[in-house]
Amino acid sequence: MLLWGSGVLGLVAAGSGAAEARPVVASAHAKAVVVKRLSFIKTGDLDFGRILPGTSAGTVTIKPDGSRAVTGGARFSGGDSHPATFAGYGSPNQIVMIELSRNTVQLRRAGGTETMRLETFVIGSTPQAQLTTSPLAFRIATSTGMFAFPVGATLRVGARQVPGIYSGTFSLILEYQ
């Protein structure tokens, strides 16, 4: 691959009549998150991908395992869809209470007033557990105290939902015991 890139650069330089080689620069971003014990972060957003509304209302569900389903008039139109992902750092065998700040969230269309309702949040676990405003508990099973889990949900799509980009925020609350 490096030889191919060098050959292309040589052809470009020869074709342009340049007498001297010039360096070519490319930039990339680097990112790191340093966490401390008893912390909790979002590592990925919940994304439903592109949706086509129908003449009747429907739902789009993204499950914690990444699988997806539709009901009613809603259809998938492509795009990347995936559950939200979270990670934390506690102590091995520590009990952690987890709850959702609200059971439903309104997603609002950018530049408009239209909304869609996000509901039925499900945390990835074995077995999968539906999140409610009542705390769930889990035990940190790793020897390092680090853990991660995905969260899926169901989106209610209205009949003839106005096209656009809809977004909203939901919050998870962790309490290390």
Side-chain angles (χ1 to χ4, degrees):
M1 189 172 224
L2 180 58
L3 293 175
W4 179 81
S6 297
V8 170
L9 289 175
L11 289 173
V12 171
S16 67
E20 110 185 26
R22 294 183 181 188
V24 178
V25 178
S27 298
H29 292 281
K31 180 179 175 180
V33 176
V34 177
V35 296
K36 63 181 183 173
R37 196 169 294 278
L38 304 182
S39 66
F40 178 56
I41 61 171
K42 172 199 70 150
T43 57
D45 289 317
L46 177 59
D47 190 340
F48 288 88
R50 291 189 300 269
I51 301 165
L52 293 172
T55 55
S56 62
T59 64
V60 177
T61 300
I62 303 297
K63 297 179 182 176
D65 66 4
S67 62
R68 55 192 199 167
V70 293
T71 65
R75 297 287 175 257
F76 286 113
S77 176
D80 187 27
S81 61
H82 47 81
T85 52
F86 297 89
Y89 183 35
S91 297
N93 293 315
Q94 185 172 20
I95 300 293
V96 180
M97 304 294 287
I98 182 171
E99 71 179 285
L100 188 62
S101 61
R102 296 179 306 202
N103 285 339
T104 63
V105 174
Q106 293 295 321
L107 302 186
R108 183 171 305 280
R109 186 175 70 84
T113 59
E114 298 80 11
T115 62
M116 289 190 285
R117 190 171 76 210
L118 186 59
E119 60 187 22
T120 316
F121 292 86
V122 177
I123 186 172
S125 62
T126 307
Q128 291 184 353
Q130 182 174 334
L131 286 173
T132 65
T133 53
S134 300
L136 285 173
F138 67 92
R139 182 179 301 277
I140 298 174
T142 64
S143 62
T144 63
M146 298 185 86
F147 60 91
F149 58 86
V151 175
T154 297
L155 180 65
R156 295 205 168 269
V157 180
R160 297 180 182 86
Q161 186 78 44
V162 175
I165 298 173
Y166 289 75
S167 64
T169 302
F170 66 95
S171 297
L172 296 181
I173 302 161
L174 258 62
E175 184 178 327
Y176 291 89
Q177 302 293 302

